[in-house]
Amino acid sequence: MPTAAMPMKRLLKFFTQQYLRRSLPHGIVSWRYLFPHPAPNVCIHRQLWLLGRHPRLPLPLYLFGECFLWLRWVSFACLRSCWRVVLYRGAEISQWEGIGTATLFLRVLVMGLAHCIPPGEIVTFGLYRLGLRQQAWNYIFFHETHAFHRWRDVRPGASAAMLTLIQDKSGLADLLASHGVPMVPTLGVLPRNAQLDPTPYLHATPRLFCKPRHGSASRDNFVIERRGFGNAPVIFTIASGIKTQLTSLDALHKAVGSDDFLVQPVMINHPLFAPLVPSEDAVILRIITEHHPAQDVHCYCATLEIPHPSDDGKHCHTILPVEPASGLILPFPGQRLPAPALARHDALFARLENCDVPFWDEIKTSAKAAHRQLPGLFAIAWDYVITPDGPLMLEGNSGWGATTPQILYGGLLRENPPFVKEN
């Protein structure tokens, strides 16, 4: 009975996540798809929408589910989402640009209904402006990002083994370390369902970081801290790379039941960044490299992610762009940030203005070297922590978020992307 019930449970969980709890279709859905010869970017978005289908889900059933999601979106979900976005950002946009709240709402609503574009990203990318509406087809939106990465990475000459490898944090670290890429050291790999005794590790370092071998987005990540002689270690959960609340060793063991776990030391921030993070959470440098067969590997985008608590008690990051050629820390485009985030951004940037990222040339060289070991993948985001002694790579991600890079450099599908020409 359990073996027969298990597939049904998985099926129910799949449809709950993908349809019952979801408001948007799995990509842009537009009447332009019906044109006999649509524009190239329209064709790409149509392909991405179809790539949103799970491989085991029959196409007719997928299309039926998309019709259900589309009806939900145009019936009430889009209206509700537009209202929330305009309520949150409308006053400041009106102050900056002189666009009335009612006008902004109508513009966002029309675009959201016509193409199933998330209202939050319509505002974030400035697509509500009359002169930018047609540029929407140049952007990749969050509900099609996963399909976009699959579309770009799985191309002639690409290997599925490379996609598997980059998802294996332990295997990837071993490969890159053997080619001279500085990696965060791994103290041990805990097999699935094993019991962790942190005491031997805590003799060598006061703080441990535990994460799944194949995880992502900080899910099931933990920090273990030594608290004085004779005291039991203290364990914290992690959300978005930030230490949050106390938990127990039993909770960690439960997570180990689903995957192997890596045990690593917690890295110390470089003196330039340490005063910005009183909580001692890591400041992450994310550098995205792209592999062009005719141009070798280029640095497309780089950002600093500085963790801090927000005014509502949640945890978030302030993002500062980094100039790829020089490593100079730059301000984020101000009018793309909500007012509270803008205030935090200005305070942090004032402390880093005219500063370069430490060890920038070394970071850029190691990121390019890492990407050359995975030539079948078009674009990879590499996460570094910069310590007093130099940069150490945490991991690589082939499924990185596309919102911030597009705010900085425009849509990923624009005709002539400004690839960096480096010396």
Side-chain angles (χ1 to χ4, degrees), residues 119-138:
E121 289 190 296
I122 295 174
V123 172
T124 296
F125 297 140
L127 300 176
Y128 55 85
R129 302 184 183 108
L130 295 179
L132 298 181
R133 285 185 178 182
Q134 291 304 314
Q135 292 190 22
W137 295 101
N138 293 337

Side-chain angles (χ1 to χ4, degrees), residues 152-330:
R152 284 211 303 185
D153 287 338
V154 183
R155 54 198 170 120
S159 171
M162 294 182 187
L163 287 171
T164 301
L165 177 59
I166 200 169
Q167 295 166 6
D168 178 359
K169 294 180 174 63
S170 180
L172 180 66
D174 291 343
L175 171 68
L176 298 184
S178 69
H179 287 84
V181 178
M183 304 296 298
V184 171
T186 297
L187 304 177
V189 178
L190 193 67
R192 182 174 177 175
N193 291 318
Q195 299 291 301
L196 172 65
D197 179 7
T199 305
Y201 298 111
L202 291 172
H203 287 321
T205 181
R207 303 173 72 209
L208 300 173
F209 192 86
C210 302
K211 62 182 181 181
R213 181 170 182 168
H214 304 93
S216 62
S218 296
R219 283 190 292 270
D220 289 335
N221 288 1
F222 301 85
V223 164
I224 305 177
E225 296 183 354
R226 185 177 63 208
R227 289 293 177 92
F229 180 76
N231 294 327
V234 180
I235 304 175
F236 296 89
T237 56
I238 299 295
S240 301
I242 301 172
K243 187 174 72 175
T244 54
Q245 59 187 8
L246 284 168
T247 187
S248 65
L249 192 60
D250 288 340
L252 192 154
H253 287 155
K254 182 179 179 180
V256 177
S258 60
D259 196 0
D260 298 345
F261 260 63
L262 277 62
V263 182
Q264 299 175 323
V266 173
M267 296 291 101
I268 300 174
N269 287 314
H270 186 276
L272 179 64
F273 304 132
L276 308 177
V277 193
S279 62
E280 298 183 330
D281 292 308
V283 173
I284 301 299
L285 172 74
R286 167 160 287 196
I287 178 170
I288 300 175
T289 55
E290 293 185 335
H291 184 231
H292 300 266
Q295 304 177 42
D296 195 26
V297 177
H298 291 269
C299 172
Y300 159 60
C301 176
T303 52
L304 282 171
E305 300 180 0
I306 304 171
H308 57 79
S310 63
D311 297 334
D312 57 5
K314 297 180 180 179
H315 296 267
C316 56
H317 294 81
T318 291
I319 296 178
L320 297 177
V322 176
E323 205 285 316
S326 66
L328 178 67
I329 300 171
L330 302 171

Side-chain angles (χ1 to χ4, degrees), residues 53-75:
R53 176 174 67 95
H54 190 279
R56 295 186 179 181
L57 188 65
L59 181 59
L61 189 58
Y62 174 73
L63 295 176
F64 177 81
E66 292 300 283
C67 288
F68 167 76
L69 290 173
W70 178 82
L71 286 171
R72 171 185 286 179
W73 179 250
V74 299
S75 298

